[in-house]
């Protein structure tokens, strides 16, 4: 048992449902107790979906406990088959139902023979994989199912398209800025003269999956979902894939170069050179390269930042901050524990230390200890930042509704670099303002609040100490206060006076 | 639908494929209500994910609840449940030092048959903190019924006899303490004006001439004060509330005590009060809407042989103050998809407001506990000359959507899973959960109910000139 208040990645069935409901005309039926269909609320609220989420529950209640699901699951599947006429129904176990150890595969087989739609059982272990791993697996399961089917029916046509083409794998519902990223990737491929064969799973149709193999290669923008599928396609159909996330100026160029290599290897084409395109985009379309040269960014040099998020975004962000903006990343971390090795390798040389954990208190402690000028993390880190009075840019799921903006906000590609530059710049206290505040001692007249959320009731601020604290500009006040208290605690001082404050300052500086 | 015009309410039962919140969500409001409690939800990642997403910002405010997240080793019984729970509860004791830990059993503990009720007393004596067990799981219950299971469990912890209160108040210090503890039954001191404090205390000390009355149901403290005062005006003294603001202040319950519910989903609590504590249950409509509030007070008064005074005027006045909203809702139709068990009371109130109720979906219908409310609904139908609505227990959301398409109600009261899709199809909606979190009880809050109900209608008015109401491509 684990005492937990918050988790970064959801339970496995959420991943399965995200993949299923991203496809067109696919219906998921959860084998779950009442109330477990919270996924529908999230999709409807966060994504502001106009359509009913194609997920229903076959309710597990007392009667089911007593007698087994018996006909209920089969009945629910065949009923949904008639009502909605989906192409595919995915039966999704939940952590509750998986303990029941009913032979769901048997139900699926029976239902499949009675319904027009295909029926499969999502094959994920609820106690071993999380949301992201489950999504990755389910996507592969579906693709494999349909390619195998086409092979059996001998309708699989592996002829490549005439002109270069690619599949984009891993864009799906409730993904962090996925819709915008998808648009940006399509634009990027279009610029390179590459057709988009299919985008999977978002908006993809089951009926077209057999055409996946016609593409020249696969593009897997995110580390978390799509890789298993890409590997499968490579192994079975010899399709190459590119898995460099085109996030940031350097990595976008890397991604494009990798695509060029694949196209060159391909017998159908001879002459590809994207270097001129990369140069043009880097210097003039994206503003990020110029931004890192500009005076503004100079002021960010050496400022401390902490990065935390899923493996893709945290790794890319760390590299962007360190390599493209000269910011010092004191700690980079991810909650994707299953991908820790890859993450370490990615951020090696770009940060002081690496943190692999899915315990948010550990992340909070780390941030409090480092006291960075800005945090780049998930919604959780945003709240940690609020408590510590440190600004935070949200770069990764889990997210709230404000991270599903209506406006165009990709994180990938060249437009993505602009968005990221804005995010970074706005997160740090603005350069000149920063200086002026330091020189003139701030312009806020707010009273000092010495009560913080952490339990520090053992310390007392003397009036003169408080008065002195008042003079310190607001944006560094929290930091100075914490440093002083830290110092006081180590010296066993309970009353903080002006003297203690200066002693603390000297102690820090020496 | 229009063909059904029977003389009495019809009850139907569908498949139970509907959307509602998991009953563990009750921790969200109960941990805030019972200030010195800590709620430990013993379940899986799924439960945790639900709480984290459903309760949104509360998670970040260092809430007094947490998950005891079961891992594979717990499920396969490789770990000892007792030792594991002891470890977590000791940690909670050390970090938060609550007066009570409430274990919320979930579907998983139910299926693996974890003996929470057996373990709690042992652990309780070992760590010296009361442990209350409530099985608020999705196998048996829906949404607000979670509160019902917790309150039913708390009944067993209420004292049977009052600690003897010395009548001599010579020892001023102890006297003050006593007064405070009585007061805190009603509301935290800070929220009561000194004037009211005096009133309440004086009322308490001058012995009322009716048997003790305890109200059950968790309401925000301002609302408990309002309802207490309404009864006070009629000379009825409320001796306590279940739950109380603090665990230590749970009300006395024995065979002399009369109990009355304030919410329609508290049937288990009512049963427990009657069977285990021999309390006498006052069956009434619920104090939702001015009509309901008046009926509620009248029934309580009648039990105590008190003739209520000024109630009719009070009700009329409230209705008058609602006039602007009533004009908006008059003649409009409403469809309750059903997910929180407040549906019957709300439908009854809205009918009285002049709305036409097409369907009352409800997760579970206890015809005995809601008997007074149901007959009040029938009476309201006759009074306003409205066809009897049908009550659909365990509704089927898919079928309901078909019926909504057919009927095109002016307002669908529904869960968040269906709200946006319905809006996109031109059907105005109101999220049903808001009724559980808003203050809707008593005379004072009638306006708040209509504020919620009319919000989509007012939104429609302000967007009226724009033509885009249906925002999906087909259908």
């Amino acid at each position: 048992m684990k005492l937990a208040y918050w988790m970064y990645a959801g339970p496995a069935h959420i991943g399965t449902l995200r993949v299923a409901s991203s496809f067109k005309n696919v219906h998921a039926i959860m084998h779950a107790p009442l109330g477990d269909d919270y996924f529908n609320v999230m999709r409807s609220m966060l994504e502001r979906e106009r359509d009913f989420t194609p997920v229903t529950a076959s309710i597990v209640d007392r009667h089911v406990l007593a007698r087994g699901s018996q006909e209920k699951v089969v009945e629910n599947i065949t009923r949904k088959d008639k009502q909605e006429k989906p192409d595919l129904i995915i039966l999704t176990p939940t952590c509750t139902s998986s303990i029941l150890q009913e032979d769901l595969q048997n139900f699926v087989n029976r239902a499949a023979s009675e319904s027009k739609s295909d029926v499969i059982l999502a094959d994920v272990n609820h106690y071993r994989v999380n949301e992201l791993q489950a999504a990755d697996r389910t996507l592969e399961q579906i693709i494999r199912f349909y390619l195998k089917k086409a092979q059996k029916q001998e309708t699989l046509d592996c002829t490549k398209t005439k002109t270069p083409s690619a599949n984009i794998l891993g864009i799906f519902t409730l993904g962090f800025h996925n819709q915008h990223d998808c648009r940006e990737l399509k634009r990027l491929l279009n610029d390179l003269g590459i057709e988009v064969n299919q985008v999977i799973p978002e908006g993809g149709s089951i009926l077209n999956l057999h055409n996946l193999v016609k593409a020249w290669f696969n593009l897997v923008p995110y580390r978390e979902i799509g890789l298993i599928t890409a590997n499968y396609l490579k192994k079975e159909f010899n399709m190459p894939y590119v898995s460099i996330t085109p996030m940031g100026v350097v990595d976008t160029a890397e991604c494009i170069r990798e695509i060029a290599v694949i196209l060159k290897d391909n017998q159908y084409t001879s002459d590809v050179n994207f270097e001129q395109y990369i140069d043009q985009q880097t210097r003039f379309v994206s503003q990020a390269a110029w931004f890192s040269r500009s005076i503004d960014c100079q002021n960010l040099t050496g400022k401390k930042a902490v990065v935390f998020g899923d493996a893709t975004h945290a790794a890319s962000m760390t590299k962007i901050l360190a390599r493209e903006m000269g910011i010092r990343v004191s700690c980079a971390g991810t909650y994707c524990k299953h991908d820790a090795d890859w993450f370490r390798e990615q951020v090696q040389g770009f940060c002081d230390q690496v943190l692999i954990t899915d315990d948010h208190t550990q992340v909070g402690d780390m941030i409090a200890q480092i006291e960075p000028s800005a945090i780049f993390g998930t919604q959780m880190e945003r709240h940690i930042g609020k408590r510590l009075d440190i600004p935070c840019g949200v770069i990764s799921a889990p997210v709230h509704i404000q991270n599903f903006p209506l406006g165009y906000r990709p994180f990938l590609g060249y437009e993505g670099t602009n968005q990221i530059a804005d995010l970074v710049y706005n997160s740090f206290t603005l350069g000149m303002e920063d200086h002026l505040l330091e020189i003139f001692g701030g312009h806020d007249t707010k009273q000092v609040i010495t009560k913080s959320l952490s339990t520090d009731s053992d310390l007392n601020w003397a009036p003169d100490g408080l008065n002195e604290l008042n003079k310190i500009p607001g944006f560094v006040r929290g930091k100075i206060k914490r440093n002083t208290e830290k110092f006081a605690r180590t010296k066993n001082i309970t009353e903080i006076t002006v003297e203690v404050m200066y002693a603390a300052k000297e102690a820090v500086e020496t | 639908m229009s063909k059904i015009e029977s003389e009495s309410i019809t009850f139907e039962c569908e498949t139970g494929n509907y959307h509602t919140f998991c009953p563990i969500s009750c921790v969200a409001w109960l941990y805030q209500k019972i200030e010195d409690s800590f709620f430990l939800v013993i379940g899986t990642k799924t439960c945790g994910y639900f709480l984290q997403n459903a309760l949104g910002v509360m998670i970040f405010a260092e809430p007094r609840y947490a998950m005891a997240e079961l891992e594979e080793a717990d499920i396969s019984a490789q770990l000892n449940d007792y030792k594991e729970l002891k470890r977590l509860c000791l940690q909670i004791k050390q970090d938060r030092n609550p007066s009570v830990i409430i274990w919320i059993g979930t579907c998983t503990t139910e299926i693996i048959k974890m003996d929470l009720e057996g373990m709690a007393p042992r652990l309780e004596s070992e760590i010296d903190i009361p442990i209350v067990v409530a099985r608020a799981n999705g196998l048996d219950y829906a949404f607000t019924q979670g509160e019902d299971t917790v309150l039913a469990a708390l009944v067993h912890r209420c004292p049977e006899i009052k600690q003897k209160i010395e009548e001599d108040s010579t020892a001023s210090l102890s006297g003050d303490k006593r007064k405070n503890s009585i007061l805190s039954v009603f509301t935290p001191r800070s929220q009561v004006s000194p004037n009211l404090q005096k009133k309440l205390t004086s009322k308490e000390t001058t012995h009322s001439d009716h048997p003790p009355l305890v109200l059950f149901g968790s309401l925000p403290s301002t609302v408990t004060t309002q309802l207490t005062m309404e009864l006070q005006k009629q000379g009825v003294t409320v001796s306590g509330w279940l739950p109380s603001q603090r665990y230590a202040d749970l009300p006395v319950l024995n065979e002399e005590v009369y109990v009355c519910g304030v919410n329609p989903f508290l049937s288990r609590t009512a049963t427990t009060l009657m069977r285990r504590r021999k309390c006498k249950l006052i069956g009434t409509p619920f104090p939702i809407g001015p009509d309901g509030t008046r009926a509620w007070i009248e029934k309580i008064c009648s039990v105590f042989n008190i003739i209520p005074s000024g109630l009719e005027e009070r009700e009329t006045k409230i209705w008058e103050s609602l006039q602007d909203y009533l004009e908006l809702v008059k003649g409009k139709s409403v469809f309750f998809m059903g997910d929180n068990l407040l549906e019957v009371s709300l439908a009854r109130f809205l009918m009285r407001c002049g709305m036409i109720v097409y369907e009352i979906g409800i997760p579970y219908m206890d015809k005995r506990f809601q008997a007074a409310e149901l007959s009040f609904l029938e009476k309201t139908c006759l009074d306003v000359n409205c066809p009897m609505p049908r009550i659909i227990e365990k509704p089927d959301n898919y079928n309901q959507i078909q019926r909504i398409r057919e009927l095109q109600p002016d307002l669908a009261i529904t869960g968040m899973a269906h709200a946006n899709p319905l809006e996109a199809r031109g059907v105005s909606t109101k999220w049903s959960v808001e009724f559980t979190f808003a203050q809707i009880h008593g005379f004072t809050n009638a306006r708040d109910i209509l504020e919620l109900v009319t919000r989509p209608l007012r939104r429609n008015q302000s967007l009226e000139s724009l033509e885009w109401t249906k925002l999906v491509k087909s259908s």
Side-chain angles (χ1 to χ4, degrees):
Chain A
M1 262 180 231
K2 194 167 87 180
L3 197 63
Y5 302 88
W6 166 270
M7 66 187 86
Y8 284 101
H13 72 268
I14 298 286
T16 299
L17 296 180
R18 282 174 65 184
V19 169
S21 58
S22 296
F23 277 112
K24 261 193 281 186
N25 215 22
V26 170
H27 201 99
I29 295 184
M30 298 165 71
H31 189 234
L34 196 65
D36 270 6
D37 58 351
Y38 191 72
F39 173 75
N40 297 31
V41 175
M42 289 179 61
R43 189 155 181 273
S44 170
M45 296 305 298
L46 298 178
E47 289 264 30
R48 294 187 197 84
E49 259 298 325
R50 301 171 196 219
D51 282 317
F52 294 100
T53 301
V55 173
T56 41
S58 172
I59 305 281
V60 176
D61 58 14
R62 261 309 142 188
H63 299 291
V64 169
L65 278 196
R67 299 175 307 168
S69 299
Q70 293 184 349
E71 301 304 311
K72 203 171 176 181
V73 173
V74 179
E75 215 175 87
N76 277 317
I77 294 174
T78 48
R79 190 173 153 228
K80 199 44 75 183
D81 174 53
K82 291 200 183 78
Q83 284 172 350
E84 313 254 336
K85 301 184 182 60
D87 300 321
L88 168 68
I89 293 177
I90 301 179
L91 182 63
T92 313
T94 55
C95 43
T96 309
S97 79
S98 61
I99 317 169
L100 291 174
Q101 299 193 321
E102 284 190 278
D103 190 359
L104 294 178
Q105 187 58 53
N106 177 32
F107 297 152
V108 162
N109 295 344
R110 272 168 56 201
S113 65
E114 286 173 38
S115 42
K116 286 209 179 73
S117 51
D118 296 313
V119 188
I120 60 174
L121 174 68
D123 182 22
V124 284
N125 182 325
H126 286 263
Y127 292 93
R128 298 207 181 145
V129 296
N130 67 21
E131 176 182 358
L132 300 169
Q133 293 164 291
D136 204 2
R137 278 163 206 231
T138 304
L139 182 62
E140 193 257 4
Q141 194 190 354
I142 295 172
I143 305 289
R144 184 189 287 262
F145 179 84
Y146 280 100
L147 292 184
K148 280 259 161 72
K149 193 177 170 188
Q151 268 176 327
K152 212 185 262 170
Q153 295 170 340
E154 290 174 2
T155 53
L156 197 66
D157 179 6
C158 288
T159 341
K160 299 290 169 198
T161 53
K162 279 207 186 89
T163 51
S165 65
N167 299 317
I168 303 175
L169 304 182
I171 305 285
F172 70 151
T173 192
L174 290 171
F176 182 75
H177 292 239
N178 272 18
Q179 311 282 1
H180 312 282
D181 285 347
C182 182
R183 205 169 120 195
E184 186 63 22
L185 288 177
K186 279 183 185 167
R187 196 166 82 174
L188 181 69
L189 291 173
N190 186 44
D191 283 357
L192 301 175
I194 299 167
E195 253 177 75
V196 176
N197 185 47
Q198 278 184 43
V199 178
I200 295 296
E202 184 64 53
S205 169
I206 293 295
L207 305 172
N208 297 333
L209 287 183
H210 63 274
N211 287 329
L212 272 181
V213 290
K214 290 189 184 252
W216 289 25
F217 69 99
N218 292 312
L219 177 60
V220 188
Y222 310 112
R223 181 78 193 160
E224 285 74 23
I225 171 180
L227 265 188
I228 302 185
T229 310
N231 275 315
Y232 163 74
L233 291 170
K234 181 166 189 193
K235 206 171 135 228
E236 293 288 317
F237 301 97
N238 203 24
M239 288 179 80
Y241 67 85
V242 177
S243 65
I244 296 176
T245 305
M247 186 167 152
V249 176
V250 178
D251 276 353
T252 304
E254 274 311 297
C255 180
I256 294 172
R257 286 191 188 108
E258 185 117 336
I259 291 172
V261 171
I262 285 174
L263 295 188
K264 267 182 210 153
D265 285 351
N266 202 300
Q267 50 181 325
Y268 296 89
T269 177
S270 50
D271 184 41
V272 236
N273 192 349
F274 294 142
E275 286 309 321
Q276 209 194 335
Y277 174 77
I278 293 172
D279 180 63
Q280 189 71 14
Q281 293 283 323
T282 304
R283 289 196 296 139
F284 303 108
V285 175
S286 162
Q287 301 294 318
W290 159 234
F291 169 72
S292 54
R293 284 275 153 197
S294 73
I295 294 298
D296 278 334
C297 198
Q298 212 180 74
N299 283 337
L300 300 182
T301 306
K303 289 220 169 176
K304 278 197 289 184
V306 168
V307 179
F308 195 84
D310 63 18
T312 305
H313 289 90
S316 297
M317 202 64 202
T318 304
K319 286 187 274 180
I320 293 170
L321 291 174
R323 185 163 61 183
E324 297 177 18
M325 295 181 179
I327 290 161
R328 181 164 163 201
V329 180
S330 302
C331 177
T334 180
Y335 56 84
C336 294
K337 282 157 93 177
H338 59 279
D339 218 5
D341 293 339
W342 177 85
F343 184 80
R344 279 201 193 89
E345 188 194 308
Q346 288 294 306
V347 299
Q348 197 179 31
F350 296 114
C351 61
D352 298 345
Q353 52 181 324
V354 176
L355 178 67
I356 311 283
T357 181
D358 55 4
D359 178 357
H360 75 272
T361 51
Q362 225 178 316
V363 181
D365 288 346
M366 178 65 95
I367 292 172
Q369 211 174 45
I370 292 174
E371 305 228 357
S373 307
I375 311 165
F376 297 93
T378 71
Q379 278 294 333
M380 192 69 213
E381 282 68 50
R382 194 172 73 83
H383 283 268
I384 294 169
K386 257 191 190 167
R387 279 200 205 170
L388 299 174
D389 207 11
I390 301 170
C392 177
V394 176
I395 55 143
S396 157
V399 287
H400 285 173
I401 194 154
Q402 69 256 40
N403 303 108
F404 290 90
L406 301 175
Y408 187 50
R409 299 270 163 72
F411 269 64
L412 304 186
Y414 286 108
E415 178 54 28
T417 60
N418 292 339
Q419 298 290 338
I420 292 167
D422 278 343
L423 181 77
V424 171
Y425 184 62
N426 292 335
S427 297
F428 286 99
T429 314
L430 306 180
M432 264 327 257
E433 193 185 353
D434 190 335
H435 280 300
L436 291 174
L437 284 170
E438 236 165 275
I439 293 163
F440 298 114
H443 50 54
D444 59 333
T445 49
K446 267 186 279 174
Q447 246 207 314
V448 179
I449 300 162
T450 47
K451 204 177 146 273
S452 80
L453 284 159
S454 56
T455 46
D456 58 354
S457 45
D458 53 325
L459 288 172
N460 212 352
W461 281 79
D464 60 338
L466 206 56
N467 206 17
E468 194 58 29
L469 193 61
N470 234 334
K471 291 183 197 156
I472 290 159
F475 64 98
V476 281
R477 193 182 290 153
K479 192 170 180 170
I480 299 220
K481 177 175 163 273
R482 278 191 297 275
N483 280 339
T484 312
E485 289 177 352
K486 222 187 276 172
F487 171 81
R489 251 185 225 112
T490 56
K491 300 273 171 205
N492 279 326
I493 300 166
T494 49
E495 172 114 339
I496 299 174
T497 57
V498 187
E499 286 79 21
V500 177
M501 277 185 76
Y502 287 134
K505 187 161 189 258
E506 283 153 20
V508 169
E509 275 166 7
T510 50
Chain B
M1 184 72 212
S2 50
K3 41 203 169 287
I4 299 163
E5 272 197 36
S6 61
E7 291 301 299
S8 58
I9 301 163
T10 52
F11 293 93
E12 279 171 54
C13 192
E14 280 191 314
T15 61
N17 282 328
Y18 63 101
H19 164 75
T20 183
F21 273 14
C22 175
I24 58 172
S25 53
C26 68
V27 305
W29 62 88
L30 287 175
Y31 93 79
Q32 295 184 51
K33 176 71 197 177
I34 310 171
E35 286 169 352
D36 51 354
S37 62
F38 191 96
F39 285 79
L40 184 67
V41 181
I42 304 159
T44 58
K45 249 184 181 322
T46 306
C47 313
Y49 198 64
F50 164 70
L51 280 180
Q52 161 175 338
N53 285 295
L55 309 186
V57 285
M58 280 189 232
I59 294 284
F60 302 108
E62 293 218 14
R64 290 188 318 280
Y65 67 79
M67 288 293 307
E69 193 184 309
L70 299 169
E71 291 164 303
E72 199 169 17
D74 297 300
I75 305 294
S76 54
Q78 285 162 13
L79 291 172
N80 182 311
D81 298 335
Y82 184 78
K83 279 188 194 152
E84 290 294 298
L85 282 169
K86 185 177 167 186
R87 183 170 58 81
L88 299 193
C89 287
L90 281 172
Q91 199 181 328
I92 292 166
K93 184 182 177 182
Q94 193 197 335
D95 294 350
R96 306 294 184 92
N97 195 28
S99 314
V100 58
I101 297 177
I102 296 169
W103 286 353
I104 303 286
T106 61
C107 306
T108 310
T109 58
E110 214 56 36
I111 292 171
I112 62 173
K113 300 202 164 48
M114 194 183 276
D115 182 20
L116 297 177
E117 279 92 347
M119 285 186 276
R122 264 174 71 200
L123 192 55
E124 178 170 321
S125 59
E126 232 182 299
I127 68 169
D128 201 28
I129 291 181
I131 295 174
V132 174
V133 181
R135 301 183 183 195
N137 61 69
L139 294 169
D140 302 302
Y141 305 109
F143 196 14
T144 49
Q145 286 179 294
E147 175 181 324
D148 195 20
T149 63
V150 173
L151 297 192
L154 279 175
V155 168
H156 300 284
R157 302 304 178 114
C158 294
E160 296 219 28
I161 37 167
K162 211 168 190 167
Q163 278 93 354
K164 200 174 170 291
I165 297 165
E166 323 85 284
E167 287 302 311
D168 56 319
S169 53
T170 39
S172 64
L173 192 74
S174 68
D176 268 0
K177 250 189 199 158
R178 178 175 55 84
K179 236 185 266 170
N180 282 343
S181 78
I182 290 165
L183 243 189
S184 58
V185 170
F186 300 104
T187 175
R189 260 135 271 144
S190 55
Q191 292 189 14
V192 186
S193 67
N195 238 345
L196 175 59
Q197 266 198 41
K198 217 178 281 165
K199 243 199 240 161
L200 292 178
T201 18
S202 66
K203 249 318 188 231
E204 179 67 25
T205 41
T206 59
H207 285 283
S208 52
D209 42 8
H210 63 77
L213 170 69
V214 169
L215 301 179
F216 59 96
S218 165
L219 294 177
S221 54
T222 44
V223 182
T224 59
T225 313
Q226 285 158 6
L227 288 180
T228 306
M229 281 171 61
E230 284 309 337
L231 288 171
Q232 198 108 82
K233 280 186 197 155
Q234 306 299 336
V236 177
T237 307
V238 178
S239 322
W241 281 83
L242 177 72
S244 47
Q245 200 77 27
R246 302 186 64 78
Y247 176 74
D249 300 333
L250 282 176
V252 174
L253 293 175
N254 53 39
E255 64 276 358
E256 285 167 29
V257 174
Y258 280 79
V259 290
C260 186
V262 296
N263 267 323
F265 45 77
L266 299 170
S267 55
R268 268 177 78 89
T269 310
T271 315
T272 314
L273 286 165
M274 288 190 292
R275 294 207 182 136
R276 306 304 293 268
R277 288 308 178 87
K278 306 281 179 276
C279 299
K280 298 178 191 82
L281 178 72
I282 306 176
T284 76
F286 299 97
I288 293 168
D291 49 340
T293 309
R294 180 178 160 195
W296 184 72
I297 297 172
E298 276 177 346
K299 183 63 194 283
I300 293 173
C301 286
S302 78
V303 170
F304 295 139
N305 288 319
I306 294 169
I307 296 156
S309 63
L311 263 190
E312 204 178 334
E313 294 79 8
R314 181 121 169 82
E315 194 198 345
T316 320
K317 237 193 179 132
I318 297 288
W319 283 116
E320 273 165 17
S321 71
L322 300 177
Q323 206 48 48
D324 50 339
Y325 279 159
L326 293 179
E327 263 152 43
L328 271 174
V329 299
K330 203 167 179 212
K332 298 263 171 33
S333 53
V334 59
F335 189 109
F336 285 89
M337 284 186 77
D339 68 353
N340 59 17
L341 284 96
L342 294 171
E343 291 87 0
V344 175
S345 311
L346 286 173
R348 178 259 303 152
F349 167 60
L350 292 182
M351 261 182 174
R352 182 65 72 178
C353 292
M355 291 186 91
I356 301 151
V357 178
Y358 283 154
E359 175 167 328
I360 305 174
I362 189 167
Y364 168 74
M365 181 76 236
D366 185 333
K367 286 186 199 163
R368 281 171 66 192
F369 183 61
Q370 295 224 42
E373 183 64 84
L374 285 170
S375 59
F376 196 36
L377 174 69
E378 251 173 8
K379 184 178 169 288
T380 306
C381 286
L382 294 174
D383 285 355
V384 300
N385 199 19
C386 223
M388 297 281 172
R390 42 176 203 170
I391 295 180
I392 312 270
E393 210 181 337
K394 288 172 168 257
D396 184 292
N397 280 166
Y398 181 84
N399 296 343
Q400 285 185 314
I401 300 287
Q402 309 305 316
R403 293 198 287 271
I404 287 177
R405 280 192 178 160
E406 212 175 292
L407 295 163
Q408 289 293 321
D410 295 306
L411 182 68
I413 295 182
T414 175
M416 290 196 254
H418 297 110
N420 269 340
L422 282 173
E423 289 282 355
R425 283 158 185 78
V427 178
S428 293
T429 60
K430 185 76 230 139
W431 300 341
S432 51
V433 269
E434 288 194 62
F435 292 100
T436 36
F437 294 123
Q439 308 194 343
I440 60 169
H441 292 75
F443 287 125
T444 323
N445 299 312
R447 201 173 172 80
D448 291 47
I449 309 177
L450 285 180
E451 167 74 26
L452 287 178
V453 170
T454 58
R455 195 172 297 156
L457 304 174
R458 284 178 284 132
R459 187 271 324 266
N460 290 350
Q461 274 187 342
S462 48
L463 301 184
E464 205 161 30
S465 57
L466 310 169
E467 271 162 22
W468 50 81
T469 50
K470 289 201 179 166
L471 293 154
V472 277
K473 279 170 190 161
S474 55
S475 81

